[in-house]
Amino acid sequence: MGSKTGAVSSLLCCPCRCLFCGVLSCLFSVLACIFCVAALVALVLFLLFRPHIIRATAISADLSDFTLTPRTWILHYNLSLGLQVRNPNKRIALHYRGVVAQAHFQGQQFGHTAPPDFFQDTSETSTLDLAFAGESPIVGGIAAAAFRREAAEGAIFSVDVKISSHMKLKVWVLKVPGPKTKIDCPLRLQRRDVAHGQRPPEFHQTECRVTFF
């Protein structure tokens, strides 16, 4: 009796099992086809448009104030920076959103600004005018010692300006999400003696590092 019941159960389950396996196999085949087609389209688009990385250059800078209050270690700063960003792509336009610029000294952020979003057409160069002004505490004796040393060595300071943004790519009428962009500009800036009417010192253009993530 038990063997007959098992045989009947086996006969009833086999069609269901085959149907389930068939659905899984069909679903796997569809997903594999979609993946292959997407990879092929991405390869064709890459070979067709050959995207190039953007270029960023610091073209001007004026450090009119960069002083450290003794004992309290409060940094007073006033920095203006002109940053030139070039889109070398001939078929891809770029839209920068959520642009944030930060100024650092000895690894510590002391300034922050948020330029407006901007659009960059194909083969176009844009200039960002960044301004940092205010005061910020310097934490730790190492940073304060580095400030005093650089102030004594001609008041030429190592300032690092970092710019980040989210990017959208425009190909013809199609807009697709792009990577997050980070621009890093390590600068050597001479402080201007405003009290004696000194003009901004000569600034040598500096190439910035560009990374995507």
Side-chain angles (χ1 to χ4, degrees), residues 6 17-18 29 33 49 62 70 77 103 111 121 138 140 166 212:
R17 188 180 305 159
C18 292
S29 299
C33 289
F49 296 104
D62 179 22
Y77 59 91
D121 209 346
I138 292 294
H166 293 278
F212 295 138

Side-chain angles (χ1 to χ4, degrees), residues 57-71:
T57 307
I59 58 174
S60 64
D62 179 22
L63 189 63
S64 59
D65 187 14
F66 206 68
T67 54
L68 188 65
T69 304
R71 290 183 292 186

Side-chain angles (χ1 to χ4, degrees), residues 7-178:
V8 172
S9 177
S10 177
L11 289 173
L12 291 175
C13 290
C14 281
C16 296
R17 188 180 305 159
C18 292
L19 178 62
F20 180 72
C21 293
V23 171
L24 282 182
S25 177
C26 182
L27 181 61
F28 178 78
S29 299
V30 170
L31 291 177
C33 289
I34 292 175
F35 177 79
C36 292
V37 170
L40 182 61
V41 170
L43 178 61
V44 170
L45 289 176
F46 177 81
L47 294 176
L48 179 63
F49 296 104
R50 294 184 181 275
H52 299 283
I53 195 168
I54 62 173
R55 296 188 61 183
T57 307
I59 58 174
S60 64
D62 179 22
L63 189 63
S64 59
D65 187 14
F66 206 68
T67 54
L68 188 65
T69 304
R71 290 183 292 186
T72 60
W73 292 354
I74 300 296
L75 178 66
H76 302 266
Y77 59 91
N78 193 334
L79 167 63
S80 300
L81 178 68
L83 182 70
Q84 196 173 75
V85 182
R86 174 164 177 76
N87 174 19
N89 297 285
K90 297 181 179 180
R91 297 183 179 90
I92 302 176
L94 305 174
H95 186 198
Y96 300 82
R97 301 182 305 153
V99 185
V100 175
Q102 299 175 342
H104 297 256
F105 177 73
Q106 291 294 311
Q108 298 186 33
Q109 178 186 329
F110 65 83
H112 174 277
T113 185
D117 298 350
F118 65 98
F119 176 79
Q120 200 170 45
D121 209 346
T122 56
S123 303
E124 185 179 9
T125 300
S126 305
T127 300
L128 300 180
D129 294 317
L130 307 176
F132 307 90
E135 58 183 41
S136 177
I138 292 294
V139 180
I142 296 178
F147 180 92
R148 290 193 294 268
R149 182 182 67 253
E150 294 186 1
E153 296 174 351
I156 300 177
F157 297 94
S158 301
V159 176
D160 195 7
V161 177
K162 302 177 185 290
I163 302 97
S164 62
S165 70
H166 293 278
M167 185 181 289
K168 266 194 171 183
L169 313 181
K170 182 181 179 183
V171 182
W172 293 320
V173 296
L174 181 64
K175 292 183 179 180
V176 296

